[in-house]
Amino acid sequence: MGISTKRVDFEWVYTDQPHTQRRKEMLAKYPEIKSLMGPDPNLKWIVSGMVLTQTISCYFVKDLSWKWIIFWAYAVGGAVNHSLTLAIHDISHNVAFGNKLAKWNRLFAIFANLPIGMPYSASFKKYHIDHHRYLGGNGLDVDIPTEIEGWFFCTPFRKAIWLILQPLFYALRPLYVNPKPVSSLEILNAVIQFAYDFLIYYLWGLKPIVYLIAGSLLCMGIHPISGHFIAEHYMFLKGHETYSYYGPLNWITFNVGYHVEHHDFPSIPGSKLPLVKEIAPEYYDHLPQHTSWVRVLWDFVFDDSIGPYTRIKRECKLVKED
């Protein structure tokens, strides 16, 4: 089983998240950053091409043997689907059509959701707002593992199992930590998703459905791209709760590796986040950063100082919504 992690609790802090203050300072010093905010005109075409590619792929995998279905799901299809989840992440910030067309963004996210095989986009949007507003917030930020996860998944073997089961925890954790009523958009998301799945099944059988869903699940577990889940906010260096990664995997993940920059400016599309660092390098060059998502996964499993407990938590006051 291996040695248990040293931590027995989260890292509790009594300060606000750093992104709010840094954003104010940077905008005062570099007002031109505001020009980067707004929709990315290319995003809708890139995402549409990815959805079309995965749909066409369903035709080509329908006669493959099961072992090749799983292989291609992990090696290719799952990578595309994981990239689509990160496109949905970008779209949740209204960068496909802009804030004035918020409903178009929600509907387009449902479209981007189709090859993932399971309804996801509407629920993600609902909880992702809280992740930014209440980063590390106890009972509010559902990106934080539960006490049970931190206590149980504490050895290398158990942490590896936890990584494999990440899709399950991401799906169920919100229902336990911060349950919210089901929205009409979530129902629409589910209806459209299951209609698409049924159409694929009706046209080409079960194997394409397995290809899509297995790819989504496998590539959210132990896969090079899924390293970003751990890299973004797990405390690899005491006191630092958000980390960036500037490596080549950003090319297929909508620059989600620029994660400090993203939390500083959520309304800037991923395609323009490198420009934030170029404009204000003194705010980012000195911060700790990751150089490999694969190394992140390795360290998470085998470093006894890192585990599900290695997250910064704080008590947050609820923001009154109009």
Side-chain angles (χ1 to χ4, degrees), residues 15-16 40 42 71 83 87 89 109 127 149 166 209 228 287:
T15 56
D16 292 333
D40 175 357
N42 296 319
F71 172 81
S83 185
H89 164 259
Y127 284 102
E149 291 171 74
Q166 266 199 110
I209 298 296
H228 78 87
L287 296 177

Side-chain angles (χ1 to χ4, degrees), residues 11 76 209 242 274:
E11 181 81 2
V76 178
I209 298 296
T242 309

Side-chain angles (χ1 to χ4, degrees), residues 44-107:
K44 57 182 175 292
W45 304 116
I46 295 171
V47 170
S48 297
M50 294 168 70
V51 172
L52 180 61
T53 297
Q54 280 293 76
T55 303
I56 293 173
S57 296
C58 288
Y59 170 79
F60 287 104
V61 303
K62 66 184 177 65
D63 295 320
L64 294 180
S65 65
W66 285 109
K67 66 178 181 181
W68 286 111
I69 292 286
I70 299 303
F71 172 81
W72 288 115
Y74 184 83
V76 178
V80 176
N81 282 2
H82 197 127
S83 185
L84 281 170
T85 69
L86 297 171
I88 290 169
H89 164 259
D90 236 17
I91 297 165
S92 74
H93 294 286
N94 293 336
V95 301
F97 297 98
N99 290 322
K100 293 182 179 179
L101 297 173
K103 187 175 181 180
W104 284 41
N105 287 283
R106 303 291 80 76
L107 295 175

